[in-house]
Amino acid sequence: MAERDAERAEALLTRVRALEQAIGEIGTTLDETNTCRELAAFAARHLGAATAVDLATEPGAPLRRAAHAEPTASDPEPVDPSGGTPAAHTRPLAPPAAHQLSVPLAVHDETPLGAVTLSRTGGGPFSGDEAALLRHAARLAARHLAHARRLAATEDTALHLQRALVAEPGRPHPNLEIAGGYLPAGPRALVGGDWFETVRLHFGRSLLVVGDVMGHGLDAAVDMNAYRTALREVAATDLPPHRVLRHLDSVVAEDDARRPATCLLVRVDPARGAATFASAGHLPPVVFGADGSAELVDLPVGPPLGTGVGGYEPTTRPLNPGDTLLIFTDGLVERRGEDIDVSLARLAALRLPADSGPGQVVDEVLRRLGAHGAEDDVAVLAARIRARAPQ
């Protein structure tokens, strides 16, 4: 009796240690495939059985094989339930029996996300302790998987919201071809303060805008939307770009709760083939010629919006039908530990395919500058004057 109790206590201690290891080994990341692999490896190692993890991408969907693991030579051998040594036989032995054990990937009564199945040949059937350990590991994995899916759904909703705010600018005149893009800062970013906008003006002109509210997160996104609303109201007066910035700066400065922001305005006049710029603490734009070469626009830079200081000046330069103007937020070029002049020089050194349209310019610049891995939000807007049809 005492010997049996000691064996039972030892078995319980072994199970507790395995449970502790499961907590540290399963769900180390928010990646579904990695979690399934961790579950399969844990079960194969601790239960000495081939382990398959099948996962449904959504409720009711067919299961797919997400991970598989085989026990290694160093894994514990299945225990002979009789505790003895197999007796010698005078005739050939029958093929060893195959045993399977399957449990759902679910937390208590929730809808299963899939299933985990153990298979081994030889030895006795899976014991109650082994089944309990597998159920615990499956519940642990299911909890991590459910958490990762909820987080992914939240991030996807937030990203769609951000792109709806950023990537749905007003419609410019038909004489202007535009393309825009927005990238969040890293895989865990939700929303931010980078934005772009287009506003129709009189006489076939269009106002292009790009801005960057200082900071990140929901507060920056709320302030970004407030800036856009105020800008549309001021731009409707058809003031020159530098006077739009001056008026917007004074309006924002009256609200102490509003975060400062940088902003670049460009009024494009296709009839004159010209663009007028005004900057509030923002990086200069770049113009790609018809041959694909790039040129940074040299313009005076005033203080960010919200300071109440003003002091914005306009700059006008030609913009030919073959030129593509690119305005952007600093996340496109800035890199940690690098001087901003070096970052801008990298952009100016780009050579794109000749006659690249706005969409191709946006795609090529984002790709070549590695913007998909940028440390800050990225908003870009490209514009080109449409060539007039032959009379």
Side-chain angles (χ1 to χ4, degrees):
M1 185 69 177
E3 183 178 351
R4 181 177 297 179
D5 290 343
E7 291 176 354
R8 186 60 183 167
E10 181 63 26
L12 180 60
L13 180 59
T14 300
R15 178 180 168 189
V16 169
R17 288 172 178 166
L19 296 179
E20 290 178 347
Q21 292 180 20
I23 294 174
E25 296 176 6
I26 300 174
T28 61
T29 70
L30 290 172
D31 181 76
E32 280 193 359
T33 301
N34 192 59
T35 298
C36 291
R37 288 173 178 170
E38 290 170 344
L39 171 61
F42 173 85
R45 184 170 62 256
H46 286 274
L47 298 173
T51 304
V53 180
D54 297 310
L55 198 63
T57 55
E58 58 185 28
L63 296 179
R64 62 173 179 83
R65 181 60 46 86
H68 178 83
E70 294 283 344
T72 64
S74 59
D75 291 334
E77 294 292 336
V79 177
D80 181 356
S82 67
T85 302
H89 293 270
T90 58
R91 58 172 180 251
L93 294 174
H99 305 283
Q100 276 199 339
L101 172 61
S102 182
V103 299
L105 270 174
V107 180
H108 302 303
D109 296 330
E110 295 181 1
T111 302
L113 302 177
V116 53
T117 302
L118 303 185
S119 302
R120 71 184 179 201
T121 302
F126 291 97
S127 67
D129 283 346
E130 289 175 322
L133 178 59
L134 181 61
R135 283 194 295 269
H136 173 85
R139 284 197 298 266
L140 181 63
R143 188 176 297 279
H144 285 291
L145 291 170
H147 174 70
R149 290 187 175 185
R150 285 193 295 268
L151 180 60
T154 300
E155 290 179 343
D156 185 65
T157 300
L159 184 57
H160 278 80
L161 173 61
Q162 178 78 356
R163 285 178 172 163
L165 290 172
V166 174
E168 294 297 335
R171 297 172 59 191
H173 286 282
N175 56 20
L176 201 63
E177 181 183 359
I178 68 166
Y182 171 78
L183 296 174
R188 299 273 76 83
L190 296 182
V191 291
D194 290 24
W195 54 286
F196 57 77
E197 180 66 278
T198 66
V199 181
R200 284 194 184 197
L201 303 176
H202 297 299
F203 311 113
R205 299 169 301 167
S206 295
L207 184 67
L208 310 181
V209 187
V210 66
D212 184 358
V213 178
M214 295 183 183
H216 299 89
L218 185 59
D219 290 340
V222 170
D223 283 347
M224 175 265 288
N225 195 50
Y227 273 106
R228 288 186 68 177
T229 301
L231 174 77
R232 287 171 177 172
E233 295 175 354
V234 177
T237 62
D238 210 5
L239 292 170
H242 67 293
R243 292 187 60 187
V244 172
L245 288 180
R246 186 185 309 165
H247 188 74
L248 188 59
D249 176 57
S250 61
V251 170
V252 175
E254 296 175 356
D255 187 352
D256 295 335
R258 193 70 62 210
R259 299 182 181 204
T262 65
C263 188
L264 175 67
L265 303 186
V266 188
R267 187 176 66 187
V268 180
D269 188 342
R272 294 176 54 211
T276 301
F277 304 81
S279 174
H282 207 83
L283 293 179
V286 64
V287 174
F288 289 93
D291 62 353
S293 62
E295 178 189 357
L296 289 172
V297 179
D298 185 19
L299 69 161
V301 180
L305 298 175
T307 63
V309 176
Y312 307 107
E313 301 178 25
T315 295
T316 301
R317 61 155 285 163
L319 191 65
N320 301 315
D323 295 337
T324 299
L325 171 69
L326 183 76
I327 59 179
F328 52 89
T329 56
D330 54 12
L332 176 66
V333 295
E334 283 189 344
R335 299 296 179 264
R336 183 175 300 176
E338 181 179 80
D339 186 87
I340 187 59
D341 291 335
V342 175
S343 304
L344 289 173
R346 184 187 302 109
L347 171 61
L350 293 180
R351 293 295 182 269
L352 304 185
D355 296 319
S356 296
Q360 186 177 4
V361 167
V362 169
D363 292 341
E364 285 290 317
V365 170
L366 290 176
R367 181 180 64 83
R368 296 194 187 188
L369 295 184
H372 291 273
E375 299 169 351
D376 197 0
D377 294 3
V378 178
V380 293
L381 180 65
R384 181 173 67 176
I385 296 174
R386 294 185 186 274
R388 294 184 179 180
Q391 298 295 327

